Amino acid sequence: MVNLLEMPLLLMLLPIVAFLYASVGHGGASGYLALMSAFAFPETFMKPTALVLNILVSGVSFYFYFREKEFKWNLFYPFAVTSIPFSFLGGYLTVSSYYYKIILATVLIFAVMRLIGLLGKEKKEVRELNLYGALIVGAIIGFLSGLIGIGGGIILSPVIILMGWGTMKQTAAVSALFIFGNSISGITGFLSKGGILPESSLPLVGIVFVGGFFGAYYGSKKFNSVVLKNVLATVLAIAIYKLYITA
C-alpha cells in the first residue's frame, strides 16, 4: 500500500498541478501521472487514481467555463461521440510496463510543448469544423486516453487551436467536458474488468479539488501564470526522461 504521508513534496505539488491544468480547462491526469511516476508509484495505482482526479478537476473546470458561456456544443459532440466508447475500450485493455511508459512519456511531450507555448496559438478567425476529421481524431484520442489513464485534453486542445476550430476559451470549455466524459468512460472500462480503486489514493481528492477549484475560477477569468507553467513543464520533462530511461 502506498503511504502518501511519507511524500510531503508530492502532496504540495499535486494541488499546483491541478491549479495549472484546471486554469486551461484540463483535468491534470498527465501531470498527476508524471508526478506519480517520478515517485515510483506502481502502474496499478497510477491509472485509476489519475482518472478519478481527472473527473473531479475537469468537472469543476467545465462548471466555471460553462458559467462564462464559453462552451460550444457543436465543437464538442463530434469528438465526444467517438472518443467516449473508444476510451472505454482503452480502459478495458492493459499494456505491458514497457509500452505503458513509452506511450505515457510520448503523450507527456504534448503537455510540455503545450505549456511552454510551442503548440496552440489562437487563430484570428474561427474555421468551420471538419466533421469526419473530428470523428477520427476523437476515436484516436479516446482510445489512447483510456489506455494510459488520461482525459485526452492535452492532445485535443492543440488540435482545435492549430486547426482554428475554436478560440482559446471555447477550447478550454470543450476540453473540460471532453476530459470529464473520457475519464468516466475510462474508469468504467477499468472497473468492468475487475480493476480496483486504491483506497490509499482517497486523501489526494481533497487537496486536488482545492487546487482545481481555484485554477478553474481564475482561468475562466483570464488568469495566467507563466512562471508556474514553466515550473510544471520542467516537472513533466523530468518525468519524461525518467520514463524513457526506465522503460
Side-chain angles (χ1 to χ4, degrees):
M1 179 179 293
V2 176
N3 188 352
L4 296 172
L5 296 179
E6 296 178 355
M7 304 175 184
L9 179 59
L10 174 68
L11 298 180
M12 288 188 292
L13 291 175
L14 279 174
I16 296 175
V17 169
F19 179 94
L20 291 172
Y21 274 80
S23 70
V24 293
H26 291 183
S30 58
Y32 311 140
L33 288 169
L35 287 175
M36 287 187 282
S37 174
F39 282 85
F41 280 59
E43 284 85 357
T44 53
F45 181 95
M46 291 168 60
K47 181 175 178 177
T49 300
L51 285 171
V52 169
L53 298 179
N54 226 28
I55 292 169
L56 176 68
V57 176
S58 62
V60 172
S61 186
F62 175 70
Y63 166 76
F64 280 105
Y65 276 100
F66 183 82
R67 194 174 67 170
E68 293 295 316
K69 299 181 179 180
E70 297 291 350
F71 178 71
K72 303 296 179 183
W73 172 257
N74 290 338
L75 182 60
F76 167 75
Y77 85 85
F79 297 105
V81 72
T82 52
S83 177
I84 291 176
F86 273 88
S87 180
F88 177 89
L89 177 61
Y92 187 83
L93 299 176
T94 302
V95 294
S96 67
S97 177
Y98 170 80
Y99 288 110
Y100 182 90
K101 290 181 179 180
I102 293 297
I103 293 172
L104 175 56
T106 302
V107 171
L108 288 180
I109 291 175
F110 282 93
V112 173
M113 295 177 70
R114 182 78 169 87
L115 286 166
I116 63 178
L118 295 180
L119 291 177
K121 292 184 178 181
E122 189 171 11
K123 305 289 184 182
K124 293 183 178 180
E125 295 183 4
V126 175
R127 302 173 184 173
E128 184 177 356
L129 179 70
N130 183 311
L131 179 60
Y132 295 108
L135 291 171
I136 295 173
V137 169
I140 295 173
I141 295 177
F143 179 76
L144 185 60
S145 299
L147 188 66
I148 65 175
I150 64 174
I154 60 170
I155 305 175
L156 178 64
S157 292
V159 170
I160 293 177
I161 295 300
L162 291 174
M163 296 303 295
W165 290 337
T167 65
M168 290 293 290
K169 288 292 184 179
Q170 291 169 356
T171 299
V174 167
S175 294
L177 187 57
F178 180 84
I179 292 166
F180 184 79
N182 275 342
S183 298
I184 290 178
S185 182
I187 197 67
T188 302
F190 174 80
L191 295 175
S192 68
K193 69 165 187 177
I196 300 175
L197 294 176
E199 293 183 5
S200 54
S201 68
L202 293 179
L204 301 180
V205 173
I207 61 173
V208 167
F209 175 79
V210 172
F213 179 89
F214 286 104
Y217 174 78
Y218 286 109
S220 64
K221 303 293 184 180
K222 300 183 179 180
F223 180 85
N224 185 30
S225 178
V226 176
V227 174
L228 288 179
K229 284 188 177 182
N230 287 337
V231 171
L232 178 56
T234 301
V235 172
L236 294 178
I238 293 172
I240 291 170
Y241 172 74
K242 182 174 181 180
L243 283 167
Y244 275 127
I245 64 174
T246 60

